[in-house]
Amino acid sequence: MTTPDRWVVLKILSVSDGTFYKVLGSWYGGYSNGNFWRINSGIQRVVKAAEDTFLFYGVSGSCYECRINNYGMHLESNNIVNQMKQGRADIIVEVLPHDTDWLTLEI
């Protein structure tokens, strides 16, 4: 299980693969290393683990433990989303709003 410092859910509409959702997690670095990010393999299942925490299980078996109050992006993850949106006519990338009902995603 991994717990990102900041996270968002991406809705990706692909001409060839349909619609799917992914968690984009980002972590703050320290003095000797920088911030980093990771996109999961695709959300397969969502579970409410606590009043303020959701577990997003990926296709690959990964699990992201995401706290509601940490929804949002680092500058680096914002750049990644912008790069995903540019130059690809075959996909549309959307960052879902923070008040999305994660338990009702059509996955």
Side-chain angles (χ1 to χ4, degrees):
M1 185 175 319
T2 183
T3 306
D5 295 326
R6 304 288 291 166
W7 64 281
V8 294
V9 172
L10 304 177
K11 179 180 182 180
I12 302 171
L13 291 86
S14 167
V15 171
S16 59
D17 298 322
T19 301
F20 52 97
Y21 301 89
K22 293 187 175 213
V23 175
L24 169 58
S26 51
W27 291 261
Y28 295 109
Y31 174 75
S32 62
N33 53 4
N35 298 342
F36 66 98
W37 57 271
R38 184 182 304 160
I39 297 177
N40 84 332
S41 56
I43 298 170
Q44 185 173 27
R45 183 170 59 115
V46 183
V47 174
K48 188 167 187 174
E51 187 61 33
D52 67 341
T53 305
F54 286 90
L55 302 177
F56 292 89
Y57 291 91
V59 174
S60 69
S62 65
C63 180
Y64 284 62
E65 179 183 35
C66 299
R67 292 184 175 80
I68 301 278
N69 292 336
N70 294 347
Y71 195 79
M73 292 189 283
H74 284 165
L75 178 60
E76 290 86 357
S77 37
N78 190 44
N79 291 339
I80 295 303
V81 171
N82 288 335
Q83 288 176 15
M84 291 174 73
K85 289 179 178 181
Q86 296 174 355
R88 298 269 324 251
D90 60 334
I91 65 168
I92 297 171
V93 178
E94 174 186 350
V95 177
L96 295 181
H98 73 281
D99 59 353
T100 299
D101 183 353
W102 307 116
L103 298 175
T104 62
L105 284 180
E106 296 182 18
I107 46 179

